[in-house]
Amino acid sequence: MGSLSISEQDIINALCVYISQKKQIKPEEVEVELMYDDSCGFSAEVFVDGRKQVLITANLIEAIRLWLDEYLNRDPYAGIKLVLDDEEGIIALIN
């Protein structure tokens, strides 16, 4: 299979599923805001029941691996690169 691009919305969906599995709640109960900072790189703020949790790049990659495996039936250990795109926002490129 060739390379694949995962949209910002699918990254958010992946994080909702990832957090919902960790906290044993429904994905709909999770709110996510993706962020990029020049000094810290990619991260996300996750809100569940009014509580905020900050996820680092490694957590985002782990969530994308889960999404690749469970929803796209792709190799979860493929190369994943997070990219800040001017038009599409934060996307993931999968090799």
Side-chain angles (χ1 to χ4, degrees):
M1 287 189 204
S3 63
L4 171 71
S5 175
I6 296 181
S7 70
E8 183 170 281
Q9 184 59 55
D10 279 345
I11 294 172
I12 290 170
N13 294 345
L15 287 164
C16 289
V17 169
Y18 173 75
I19 294 297
S20 71
Q21 288 185 5
K22 294 228 179 258
K23 298 192 177 286
Q24 299 178 337
I25 58 174
K26 295 178 185 171
E28 299 83 32
E29 297 177 48
V30 182
E31 288 183 43
V32 174
E33 183 178 336
L34 295 176
M35 299 181 294
Y36 177 79
D37 181 279
D38 286 333
S39 61
C40 299
F42 296 96
S43 62
E45 286 184 346
V46 177
F47 299 90
V48 177
D49 290 329
R51 301 181 107 180
K52 179 174 86 169
Q53 179 180 354
V54 176
L55 302 179
I56 61 172
T57 303
N59 301 121
L60 275 65
I61 298 293
E62 188 176 353
I64 293 168
R65 289 193 194 291
L66 172 72
W67 184 260
L68 285 171
D69 187 35
E70 293 189 11
Y71 290 87
L72 300 179
N73 297 318
R74 299 279 301 244
D75 177 11
Y77 298 103
I80 299 172
K81 181 179 180 184
L82 293 171
V83 176
L84 183 59
D85 185 88
D86 289 338
E87 294 177 14
E88 297 182 49
I90 296 171
I91 60 172
L93 301 177
I94 315 301
N95 291 329

